[in-house]
Amino acid sequence: MNGIGVLAGIAFAHLAVRTRQTLVAILGVAIGVGFFLAVSGMMTGSQTDFIRTLIDTAPHIIVQDEQRNPARQPAVTAWPQAAVAVRGVRPQDEVRGLKDWPAMLAAARTQPGAVAAPSLSGAVAVRFAGRTEPLSLNGIDPRIEGQLTKIEASLVGGHLTDLEARPDGIIISRPLANRVGARLGDTLLVSSSAGVLQRMRILALIEPDARAGFYAGDNAAYGLLRTAQVLFARPNVVNQLHIKLGDPQAAEGVAVTLEARWGYKWVSWQERSRDIRNLLVVRNVIMYAVIAAILLVASFGIYTSVSTSVTDKRRDIAILRAMGFTEGDVEGVFLIEGLVVGVAGALVGFAFGSVLLEVLARLPITVQGKPLELPLDRGLRQYLIAGAASLASALVAAWLPARKAAGVDPVDILRGAA
Amino acid sequence: MTALIETAHVTRRLIDPETVTLVDDACLKIQPGEFVAVVGPSGCGKSSLLYLLGLLDRPDTGSVRIDGILTDGLSDAERTHLRLERIGFVFQFHFLLPELTAEANVALPIRRLGRLSRSQADDRAHELLAKLGLKGEAHRRPDRMSGGQRQRVAIARALANDPAIILGDEPTGNLDSANTRLIVEEFQRLAHEEGRAVVCVTHDMGVAAAADRRIHMLDGRIVPEPGPA
Ligand SMILES: Nc1ncnc2c1ncn2[C@@H]1O[C@H](COP(=O)(O)OP(=O)(O)OP(=O)(O)O)[C@@H](O)[C@H]1O
Ligand SMILES: [Mg+2]
């Protein structure tokens, strides 16, 4: 590669004599790359963190005993061509339950890395010391449910599995406990819409702002599946399946496939959070627009630098051509100039961006009195994107003046100089 | 013996905005070992002819052969390669790259041709400079040298790839008589001892007289040598 070497030698010589302009151009790229790393580190970091929370908050897929489309009436099925009007169709009972749920559970468990658990959820009322509060009671299998969500991390005073030893146990949120004035170990009176009354003992409290935990709201409560079935007078009935997959991203596809096979409503976390995720897309578009603007400004710097170099060096261009350098060689010299500025700018920018990220990571931010660590994405990917973007913009910015340099007619210059 | 340079009815015009004829129906033949001077009044087209011979410019009509190769149909890249290999240019102003040392300037065409390694190219550049009496100046930049030294560096660079043809456009135009004599002697040596074709545009009667033969130009045309006035 003697050829490239000699062109690079000329390019470096050009840059070296124009130290100040070169440094300014490098600095432009470096600032662009540095801010890119800081901004996208924060944005992708918080987004990843947010999505993880979305995924972890609840099971990846929840199967509910609802239909997406109302069931076709037998009369409509029987006479497909006929115009059938059906009146007075009433919805069935509220806590109906999933038919064939053991088979559905088995099907869900065949997915790679899947954990699946049945649950029976419904509305109950709790009474304590004369106060009544509505609750949404989830009857669960504590051992499996603990693997499905991060609820365990939010518990204080006990564990999910404590329910196994105490079928009359209940876990409620701390705010709800405060509202009715109950404490850990107190016994609540729980009544269901089926008219069943049951005394239940508080085994643990759910802390709303626990780190890395999961909180479904003040009025969510947990008990044993069997206990719930008794409360709702629905022995052996299950109205929800909770599924966690090895690969959370697969949830949407799996949900669609299994829903087509089994009916009912299989809601993936993606479906549940569609609106929020659309917002994230908008946020990303804004971020990349800002980044593109920064890099555009940086590439203006490169353009100006290379373009003045071309103007200054018209005589050198004529000499090179007279010596036997081709138009392509001349173009190469100036492309290399732009590339060198781009690479040097990216490297300085990496250092600058790392410093910015380090500063952000150490920023003492507190939310509601608790120190908050900014979720930052400091992965190699960010650096690769920033590097590739700055190189691409450097090449494009240098290409225009380099084309101009290649088009210089040496004879014009030689005549002018003689 | 094939002529190193041979032109047949070469004409070059510019439209600026009315037509200017730079070179008009030029026919010439230059053999290896010949030192030829091109003379004529200012603006008669001497430089324009040299650019055509050096393949920097293309004639509108007529043809140029270099070492027997018809260059008319060649692409720009092919013509450039021919120039790199077989033609060395020396201009009135030294035309060195100001950022590079003398040695690096001379090594440029050698490295571009790519037949020698980098260190071999540097060695050859050094050797050429030494032959022209510039051993001590090899690592200096052009702005630290005298006009005569620079012009010798330019000649060393023109010789870098050992070309068969040397083209000079008033190479002594800026030099005193001592330096002029030095360069004329070098041109004579290049032609007579090394068998190259040397074509030198000049205003200097002494340089013209030292050449084996003179090509006279007037208004773009090659004219016979005018008799003594
Ligand atoms: N770009 C141009 N546009 C119009 N005319 C031009 C242009 N370049 C050169 N000429 C004309 O072409 C003619 C030949 O120019 P050329 O440079 O070849 O002359 P020359 O013999 O080398 O002159 P000198 O001895 O002054 O160097 C001149 O009359 C000049 O005015
Ligand atoms: Mg001239």
Side-chain angles (χ1 to χ4, degrees):
Chain A
M1 288 312 290
N2 245 352
I4 293 278
V6 65
L7 301 184
I10 299 169
F12 276 108
H14 283 176
L15 291 170
V17 293
R18 301 165 64 254
T19 327
R20 219 182 41 193
Q21 289 105 308
T22 306
L23 286 182
V24 168
I26 289 177
L27 208 66
V29 177
I31 290 173
V33 168
F35 278 111
F36 175 95
L37 288 175
V39 172
S40 86
M42 274 194 293
M43 298 283 268
T44 31
S46 62
Q47 175 173 330
T48 312
D49 190 64
F50 185 71
I51 298 258
R52 201 175 39 236
T53 317
L54 276 183
I55 295 174
D56 291 348
T57 305
H60 298 162
I61 301 174
I62 297 176
V63 186
Q64 296 165 342
D65 60 344
E66 291 167 27
Q67 304 291 340
R68 273 190 206 275
N69 300 307
R72 284 157 73 86
Q73 292 299 321
V76 178
T77 317
W79 296 288
Q81 309 293 340
V84 181
V86 183
R87 293 210 182 91
V89 178
R90 261 184 217 102
Q92 288 171 27
D93 192 359
E94 190 195 343
V95 182
R96 284 162 307 193
L98 301 163
K99 251 189 269 165
D100 287 338
W101 68 265
M104 288 162 66
L105 200 63
R109 282 177 175 158
T110 60
Q111 295 298 321
V115 181
S119 98
L120 179 66
S121 305
V124 295
V126 288
R127 271 165 66 88
F128 184 78
R131 256 168 284 198
T132 305
E133 285 281 341
L135 259 192
S136 164
L137 180 68
N138 299 287
I140 54 162
D141 178 332
R143 204 159 282 281
I144 307 178
E145 198 70 21
Q147 299 169 39
L148 277 166
T149 64
K150 294 211 165 173
I151 172 108
E152 182 68 37
S154 302
L155 297 188
V156 287
H159 299 285
L160 218 50
T161 43
D162 292 350
L163 288 170
E164 286 178 341
R166 298 279 317 227
D168 66 336
I170 188 168
I171 296 172
I172 63 172
S173 74
R174 183 186 291 284
L176 187 98
N178 290 346
R179 234 176 283 152
V180 297
R183 291 208 249 150
L184 204 64
D186 285 345
T187 302
L188 309 168
L189 190 61
V190 180
S191 61
S192 75
S193 52
V196 181
L197 271 177
Q198 164 120 31
R199 291 188 178 283
M200 295 183 86
R201 189 178 146 96
I202 303 175
L203 297 184
L205 293 174
I206 312 164
E207 201 63 66
D209 48 5
R211 277 286 198 68
F214 152 53
Y215 190 67
D218 289 357
N219 290 60
Y222 297 86
L224 218 49
L225 175 59
R226 258 183 296 127
T227 312
Q229 286 168 340
V230 171
L231 254 174
F232 296 119
R234 285 279 184 284
N236 294 320
V237 168
V238 155
N239 69 353
Q240 281 191 3
L241 298 183
H242 294 173
I243 303 161
K244 181 185 178 179
L245 299 175
D247 172 18
Q249 300 303 328
E252 194 159 25
V254 169
V256 169
T257 318
L258 292 183
E259 181 174 304
R261 165 83 181 76
W262 295 97
Y264 296 111
K265 203 168 163 185
W266 298 61
V267 182
S268 63
W269 68 268
Q270 285 105 325
E271 182 184 346
R272 210 159 53 221
S273 55
R274 183 147 294 143
D275 290 349
I276 297 173
R277 291 188 312 126
N278 285 344
L279 265 178
L280 289 181
V281 171
V282 173
R283 205 174 84 129
N284 280 340
V285 168
I286 294 172
M287 172 180 86
Y288 282 110
V290 170
I291 297 308
I294 296 176
L295 282 175
L296 191 68
V297 172
S299 63
F300 276 135
I302 295 179
Y303 174 82
T304 318
S305 161
V306 176
S307 162
T308 24
S309 179
V310 170
T311 317
D312 289 355
K313 296 296 175 192
R314 285 168 64 83
R315 218 176 82 131
D316 287 20
I317 294 169
I319 305 171
L320 287 172
R321 301 280 283 114
M323 262 192 263
F325 283 70
T326 61
E327 290 184 18
D329 293 335
V330 170
E331 188 173 339
V333 166
F334 292 98
L335 276 183
I336 291 171
E337 284 184 33
L339 209 59
V340 167
V341 171
V343 170
L347 292 179
V348 176
F350 287 169
F352 176 50
S354 305
V355 170
L356 279 180
L357 284 166
E358 194 56 43
V359 169
L360 285 172
R362 292 180 186 200
L363 228 49
I365 300 177
T366 52
V367 173
Q368 295 173 344
K370 292 191 175 182
L372 177 82
E373 210 175 288
L374 277 181
L376 295 172
D377 184 344
R378 295 202 245 184
L380 183 65
R381 214 178 91 98
Q382 300 298 321
Y383 287 83
L384 289 180
I385 293 176
S390 62
L391 282 199
S393 60
L395 272 182
V396 171
W399 184 73
L400 295 169
R403 279 300 313 156
K404 207 176 91 186
V408 165
D409 182 359
V411 171
D412 282 347
I413 312 290
L414 294 171
R415 273 195 225 281
Chain B
M1 187 162 48
T2 40
L4 275 177
I5 303 174
E6 185 174 355
T7 70
H9 307 288
V10 162
T11 299
R12 178 76 172 103
R13 293 195 181 86
L14 275 183
I15 296 157
D16 183 42
E18 70 271 26
T19 309
V20 187
T21 303
L22 306 179
V23 176
D24 193 1
D25 197 39
C27 298
L28 55 81
K29 226 179 200 181
I30 295 164
Q31 304 293 342
E34 265 198 303
F35 172 20
V36 178
V38 179
V39 294
S42 180
C44 69
K46 305 182 293 295
S47 297
S48 303
L49 177 66
L50 213 63
Y51 301 147
L52 290 166
L53 301 184
L55 308 181
L56 277 172
D57 201 5
R58 281 179 192 266
D60 295 305
T61 58
S63 62
V64 177
R65 278 178 194 275
I66 296 296
D67 206 1
I69 302 166
L70 188 63
T71 61
D72 307 353
L74 298 183
S75 70
D76 281 345
E78 288 166 326
R79 289 160 61 90
T80 305
H81 191 75
L82 213 52
R83 185 160 66 242
L84 178 68
E85 245 187 335
R86 311 202 189 187
I87 301 172
F89 264 109
V90 186
F91 298 100
Q92 175 173 6
F93 301 98
H94 60 86
F95 267 174
L96 301 172
L97 296 195
E99 300 88 3
L100 304 182
T101 62
E103 187 181 292
N105 263 286
V106 177
L108 275 181
I110 307 173
R111 293 185 56 202
R112 178 61 189 84
L113 191 59
R115 291 196 185 136
L116 300 182
S117 73
R118 190 177 175 161
S119 63
Q120 284 172 320
D122 289 344
D123 288 348
R124 168 150 175 84
H126 200 86
E127 198 181 298
L128 282 164
L129 287 169
K131 265 195 203 161
L132 286 155
L134 293 166
K135 211 176 170 66
E137 276 71 32
H139 296 291
R140 276 204 211 161
R141 295 211 326 214
D143 55 357
R144 300 284 160 79
M145 292 183 203
S146 74
Q149 288 173 329
R150 285 181 208 156
Q151 204 57 308
R152 276 181 281 154
V153 176
I155 292 175
R157 191 180 61 191
L159 292 171
N161 287 328
D162 195 18
I165 299 167
I166 302 288
L167 302 176
D169 194 352
E170 300 184 43
T172 61
N174 263 15
L175 302 181
D176 61 14
S177 54
N179 273 306
T180 300
R181 204 170 56 243
L182 221 69
I183 287 186
V184 167
E185 281 165 11
E186 179 63 20
F187 278 2
Q188 285 174 325
R189 201 184 63 75
L190 290 173
H192 303 151
E193 289 174 29
E194 299 185 354
R196 300 177 213 264
V198 179
V199 181
C200 183
V201 170
T202 187
H203 280 296
D204 187 317
M205 282 307 132
V207 175
D212 304 332
R213 163 159 90 84
R214 282 146 293 280
I215 292 173
H216 288 264
M217 287 189 77
L218 195 64
D219 294 335
R221 283 192 316 281
I222 294 177
V223 295
E225 194 157 355

